Amino acid sequence: MSETAGLRRLDLRQPFEVPPGRSEAVGLEVEVGLVRRDAGKNATYPQSFAFLLDIVRHFDGNPLMDGPNLVGVGLAGGAAFTLETGGAVEYSSPPFPTVAAAVTDVRGRLGAAAGIAAAHDLALLTGGITPFAAPGDIVWNPKARVQIMRDYFQAIGGDGAHADEVMGLILSAQTSLDYTSSEDLMSKLRLLVRASPVVAALFVNSPVAARERTGALSRRMQYWRRFDPRRCGVLGFALEPGAGIEDLIDWAAGLPMIYRLVAGTHVAAPPVSFRHAAECGFGDGTYPTTADWELHLSQVWPHVRVRHTLELRLADAPPWPFFGTGAALWAGLAYDPQARRAANDLLAGLSAAEIDRACTDVAVKGLSATVGPYPVQDVARELLRLARAGLQARVRAGLEAPEALALLDPVEEVCETMQTFADRALDAWDRGEQHYLHAFSIPAD
């Protein structure tokens, strides 16, 4: 890339660099449906506005605005509630030194938010998807970028066929982990990329969509396959010998931005790669800035996204109150050096193509799928053993609270019984929509 255009290669490395003195913290993002308690339908924007306004008052937060529209609430320490594109609400915790502390924070914040929602005859729905709505029922929020994104995905045809479902119906519980050096980044990234479909099999939890059984255990994982695959899925280059930060930069720079910020408003970006824009400009006399690069990195959604931290994105969210289980599993595997080495050795033979095929298989079969030549259940059982050993080592070292160990219990039960969260969701659904809504909603504090 040309340095005369304004951006230097060093600028592009900055989001992947390690700040001095960084320790290994844990962050959680839990996205829940904001739905009517009587019917499960998505809240309207006026209802969402009233809910967010009460969140501001209750937590003494700062309103987050998109033009004249309230779209979130900033809290002390970097935490936030945000209104997502299709009306779901996401709570993002600040980083915590332990999984247990992060889980306590999220449980308290979302419990309080559920009480606020109940006062508006709304509920906070957990799981992998909002099953009551079809794409035509989505209530799009008034952010300017929403229509820009919908237009972009419509323009790319079949590769964007499930954009509305991804943007408007799916839910999640994501974990963010730290890395302490470029070498540590790649060691963790290789593990997380290879382990993601196996871990996802433990969490499949979206078997119902648009009020119908789908025949899949994770319809959410299937939706992600048609959301511009170029910017999603398996980071295959990360598995190559010698891969590093430069490869992350080259991958992201080869993709076009979807939208950019101009004079305080999101506008559609030209259909050229970021690399081309850095060398030749956007076509309006301007060139990308470091802010554009940061914004561009938020417009890619691989299974493991690197953007100051490592974000784990593939697995469905489990039902309440098991939202912290994924964080415990990932921290146990990635933060204990011995567990990480053993897990990397276990998965080392898997290719990017085998991992990608496993994702397709897991979405339908869950733990009965295969990854490479191996049964997913067998690999999951060994990863769970290593994760528990890793967490125990961190507890002994004073780096984790003992109560974090119990967070692994639900998925260990899933692995041994083969009764997935999706099976429980189907059972709840068969008992009636109101039963499902009650079973999967966060209890109000």
Side-chain angles (χ1 to χ4, degrees), residues 98-101 324 328-329 388 391 395 400-409:
T98 66
V99 173
L329 197 164
R388 182 169 286 279
L391 271 187
V395 170
E400 182 57 77
E403 55 265 33
L405 293 168
L407 294 169
L408 293 175
D409 293 349

Side-chain angles (χ1 to χ4, degrees), residues 9 33 39-40 80 92 118 137 144 182 204 266 278 283-284 349 354 440-441:
R9 192 76 176 184
S92 303
D137 302 321
S182 57
V204 286
H266 286 124
D284 60 358
E354 288 172 327
F440 277 75
S441 293

Side-chain angles (χ1 to χ4, degrees), residues 4-5 19 33 38 40 51 80-81 83 86 90 107 112 142 176 185 209 216 226 246 277 364 375 401 403 408 410 412:
T4 61
D38 61 341
F51 166 77
F81 286 91
L83 187 65
E90 180 178 276
R107 184 182 293 118
S176 293
L185 164 61
R226 305 290 288 277
E246 296 301 317
V364 177
E403 55 265 33
L408 293 175
E412 288 175 336

Side-chain angles (χ1 to χ4, degrees), residues 58-70:
H58 180 86
F59 291 106
D60 192 25
N62 299 312
L64 303 177
M65 310 299 292
D66 189 281
N69 300 305
L70 178 63

Side-chain angles (χ1 to χ4, degrees), residues 267-308:
V267 300
V272 298
S273 71
F274 193 93
R275 180 181 296 108
H276 178 90
E279 294 171 349
C280 304
F282 284 121
D284 60 358
T286 66
Y287 287 81
T289 64
T290 54
D292 287 315
W293 178 237
E294 290 273 6
L295 187 60
H296 177 53
L297 293 177
S298 74
Q299 299 168 31
V300 297
W301 301 277
H303 299 163
V304 187
R305 180 163 66 180
V306 186
R307 191 181 50 157
H308 301 286

Side-chain angles (χ1 to χ4, degrees), residues 133-212:
D137 302 321
I138 296 169
V139 180
W140 300 105
N141 80 28
K143 294 178 181 177
R145 67 180 174 88
V146 173
Q147 191 57 50
I148 295 170
M149 293 180 70
R150 295 185 71 201
D151 290 344
Y152 169 85
F153 286 107
Q154 184 176 9
I156 64 175
D159 279 348
H162 286 315
D164 279 1
E165 289 90 341
V166 170
M167 293 170 60
L169 297 178
I170 67 170
L171 308 173
S172 64
Q174 296 172 190
T175 302
S176 293
L177 302 178
D178 287 326
Y179 49 90
T180 57
S181 67
S182 57
E183 295 79 12
D184 186 58
L185 164 61
M186 297 313 299
S187 174
K188 287 173 178 170
L189 183 58
R190 282 190 295 273
L191 167 62
L192 302 179
V193 168
R194 286 192 168 110
S196 280
V198 179
V199 171
L202 293 165
F203 286 88
V204 286
N205 192 28
S206 50
V208 178
R211 289 188 156 93
E212 299 287 343

Side-chain angles (χ1 to χ4, degrees), residues 34 62 88 96 117 122 168 182 212 247 257 267 328 349 355 357 421:
L34 185 63
N62 299 312
F96 285 93
L122 300 172
S182 57
E212 299 287 343
D247 299 286
M257 292 187 77
V267 300
I355 296 165
R357 284 195 296 271
F421 296 129

